[in-house]
């Protein structure tokens, strides 16, 4: 199994979500890996950790998701691996619920989300985003 962290979803992936008319809620499992020190592309001199930069993003993003009908189901520190093997564990696992696939796509492409993305980019080394739905 190949595992490759990324910072953003692909354009094709987002387009597919937008075209899905299903009204079934989804939950996104976020596996997050942070930089030791935040790295802002605009050169700002904030001397903070990657986690601290991401927390700036997460606080604003949580308000947006909740305003749009979503919610946080879980956030926690990754404490260990019980089954399987990966080269390096993620730092945080979080689960966000969205009203639908289209709602997720709409939120992910909002201008205000792009604006706060500077903190996300500065803080994240990479992540996996796994979409789940109720059986």
């Amino acid at each position: 199994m190949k595992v490759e962290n990324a910072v953003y979803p692909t354009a094709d992936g987002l387009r597919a979500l937008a075209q899905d008319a299903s009204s079934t809620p989804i939950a996104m499992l976020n596996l997050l890996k942070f930089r030791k020190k935040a790295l802002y592309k605009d050169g700002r001199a904030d001397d903070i950790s990657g986690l601290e930069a991401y927390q700036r993003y997460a606080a604003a993003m949580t308000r947006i998701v909740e305003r749009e009908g979503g919610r946080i189901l879980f956030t926690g520190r990754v404490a260990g691996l019980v089954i399987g093997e990966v080269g390096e564990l993620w730092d945080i696992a979080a689960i966000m619920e969205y009203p639908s696939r289209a709602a997720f796509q709409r939120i992910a492409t909002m201008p205000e989300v792009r604006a706060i993305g500077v903190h996300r980019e500065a803080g994240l080394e990479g992540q996996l985003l796994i979409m789940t739905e109720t059986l």
Side-chain angles (χ1 to χ4, degrees):
M1 174 186 300
K2 178 182 175 187
V3 177
E4 185 176 322
N5 284 323
V7 175
Y8 285 109
T10 65
D12 288 342
L14 287 175
R15 271 193 295 278
L17 292 173
Q19 295 169 357
D20 190 316
S22 169
S23 62
T24 304
I26 59 169
M28 293 290 201
L29 169 61
N30 296 263
L31 297 174
L32 306 163
K33 184 70 178 169
F34 301 110
R35 299 176 193 273
K36 294 214 183 306
K37 183 177 177 175
L39 179 61
Y40 283 92
K41 290 181 180 178
D42 63 8
R44 73 180 73 184
D46 283 1
D47 189 25
I48 59 173
S49 70
L51 174 60
E52 290 170 307
Y54 189 84
Q55 286 172 328
R56 291 176 178 176
Y57 164 81
M61 186 61 171
T62 298
R63 287 189 295 274
I64 294 167
V65 169
E66 289 175 347
R67 182 190 75 211
E68 299 296 322
R71 63 188 175 128
I72 296 175
L73 298 179
F74 173 84
T75 301
R77 182 179 62 83
V78 174
L81 187 64
V82 178
I83 295 176
E85 185 177 332
V86 295
E88 190 174 350
L89 287 177
W90 295 269
D91 298 314
I92 300 282
I95 303 173
M96 299 284 289
E97 183 180 66
Y98 296 87
S100 66
R101 288 169 171 81
F104 171 82
Q105 184 276 342
R106 186 182 70 255
I107 293 166
T109 58
M110 287 179 166
E112 64 188 300
V113 171
R114 277 194 298 279
I116 61 173
V118 64
H119 303 298
R120 187 173 188 278
E121 289 178 23
L124 274 180
E125 187 175 308
Q127 83 173 81
L128 293 182
L129 182 61
I130 302 167
M131 182 173 62
T132 68
E133 58 187 14
T134 304
L135 294 175

